[in-house]
Amino acid sequence: MPHILGNDVVGVVAALGAGVRNVKPGDRVLLCPTLSCGVCPACHAGDDHLCREYDVIGRRRNGGYAEKVSVPAVNCLPFPENLEWAAAAAVPLVFLTAWHMLVGRARLRAGEDVLVIGGSSGVGSAAIQIARLLGARVIATAGREAARERARALGAHEVLDHGRDDLTAQVRALTGKKGVEVVFEHVGGPVFERTVGALARNGRLVTCGATAGGAVSLDLNLLFGRHLSLLGSWMGRRAELIEVLQFVRDGRLKPVVDSVRPLAEARAAHEYVEARKHFGKVVLVP
């Protein structure tokens, strides 16, 4: 401390370092939020997310809660011209995360059933759309009735309350007792434990978060008896963000913006998100 937060950033190039050729002053850009060394074997192989120096803008390096931010030129991607500023700012981190989880890790396929936990969150609202794009049947969850209605409008085929103890039974009832092939999870705690039981045989659970608790219990009999796979995921490849941006540009994936606030209200915005009143992303404007 002091530290500047902010992973998702869009803006106008104001100045360049020596040798920068991919952008020029005045260009509108969307920043890839991930950082890597660029020279290790993983980076050379295109697996920058496996770089030992992998990080995210706004985590250990100052981020976008500011009028100006300094970033590596390689992080500057062309701005999606079909979007307004606020909508574009809602794209990078959540769509990269959700794409890598569903496509890169879980290998979700057309015709499969997927359970998306927390469909009202930024990453959950992205996952609903990506799963539909891939041709899967989407069962989403949300804690508030208003959020469940918005999840349906976004494309979820079925929407459940993840706070109920019978979540596993509800999922199995919706799938003819089969269970889902994929669980998209980012909450942890008791919700994680219940969703393992909702998996079909040979099912895959992919998780990227633990906001409700990092310690969970697991029935190993269930894990090996049903041939289940538990997959961890954090962010994704730079190339995956470039790929997902193609679908954003043609309108098949749409960022979900809950509200737009001035940067001076960052504290209130965080409290609003922590109170789970949002659906999608809250955008701050300097």
Side-chain angles (χ1 to χ4, degrees):
M1 296 298 180
H3 178 66
I4 301 172
L5 297 171
N7 313 126
D8 290 313
V9 185
V10 293
V12 178
V13 176
L16 306 177
V20 174
R21 296 182 178 86
N22 62 312
V23 291
K24 63 184 184 300
D27 283 353
R28 300 204 303 170
V29 294
L30 175 149
L31 297 189
C32 174
T34 65
L35 301 164
S36 60
C37 75
V39 296
C40 70
C43 287
H44 281 310
D47 293 327
D48 47 290
H49 65 304
L50 301 180
C51 175
R52 293 182 66 181
E53 297 182 23
Y54 192 74
D55 204 357
V56 180
I57 293 171
R59 184 170 176 260
R60 288 182 294 185
R61 177 188 180 119
N62 283 336
Y65 283 20
E67 290 84 359
K68 295 182 178 181
V69 59
S70 175
V71 299
V74 70
N75 285 70
C76 295
L77 302 178
F79 187 88
E81 296 296 339
N82 61 315
L83 299 182
E84 299 294 332
W85 284 111
V91 172
L93 189 142
V94 294
F95 275 94
L96 172 58
T97 297
W99 186 271
H100 184 64
M101 290 174 71
L102 291 174
V103 179
R105 297 292 281 150
R107 309 288 184 186
L108 181 65
R109 296 184 290 271
E112 291 188 320
D113 291 321
V114 57
L115 174 63
V116 175
I117 298 298
S120 63
S121 66
V123 71
S125 60
I128 290 172
Q129 296 181 68
I130 292 170
R132 284 296 303 260
L133 179 70
L134 297 172
R137 179 190 179 215
V138 182
I139 302 172
T141 76
R144 296 173 292 114
E145 180 55 37
R148 290 192 287 273
E149 287 301 321
R150 292 193 65 179
R152 290 187 187 93
L154 198 57
H157 297 87
E158 307 285 349
V159 186
L160 305 173
D161 181 353
H162 54 228
R164 291 180 52 171
D165 291 335
D166 63 345
L167 177 62
T168 300
Q170 291 184 77
V171 172
R172 291 202 163 273
L174 289 172
T175 57
K177 299 183 180 181
K178 169 182 67 69
V180 293
E181 282 78 15
V182 172
V183 168
F184 179 97
E185 208 279 331
H186 54 100
V187 177
V191 175
F192 178 99
E193 295 171 353
R194 289 196 289 270
T195 58
V196 173
L199 283 167
R201 292 186 178 277
N202 209 36
R204 296 93 70 195
L205 184 152
V206 59
T207 183
C208 71
T211 53
V216 298
S217 62
L218 176 66
D219 185 347
L220 293 178
N221 293 289
L222 206 61
L223 182 66
F224 67 73
R226 292 186 185 171
H227 296 270
L228 305 181
S229 297
L230 303 181
L231 306 167
S233 185
W234 186 47
M235 301 301 294
R237 299 175 179 88
R238 184 189 308 271
E240 290 175 307
L241 178 56
I242 293 172
E243 183 177 8
V244 81
L245 281 170
Q246 296 175 357
F247 295 105
V248 172
R249 287 189 173 91
D250 69 18
R252 283 186 281 178
L253 295 176
K254 299 180 180 180
V256 179
V257 176
D258 174 277
S259 54
V260 179
R261 297 168 179 244
L263 178 59
E265 295 182 9
R267 179 190 179 99
H270 277 257
E271 292 171 341
Y272 176 74
V273 172
E274 289 169 8
R276 301 178 184 178
K277 296 179 180 179
H278 66 298
F279 189 98
K281 301 281 281 185
V282 176
V283 178
L284 298 176
V285 179

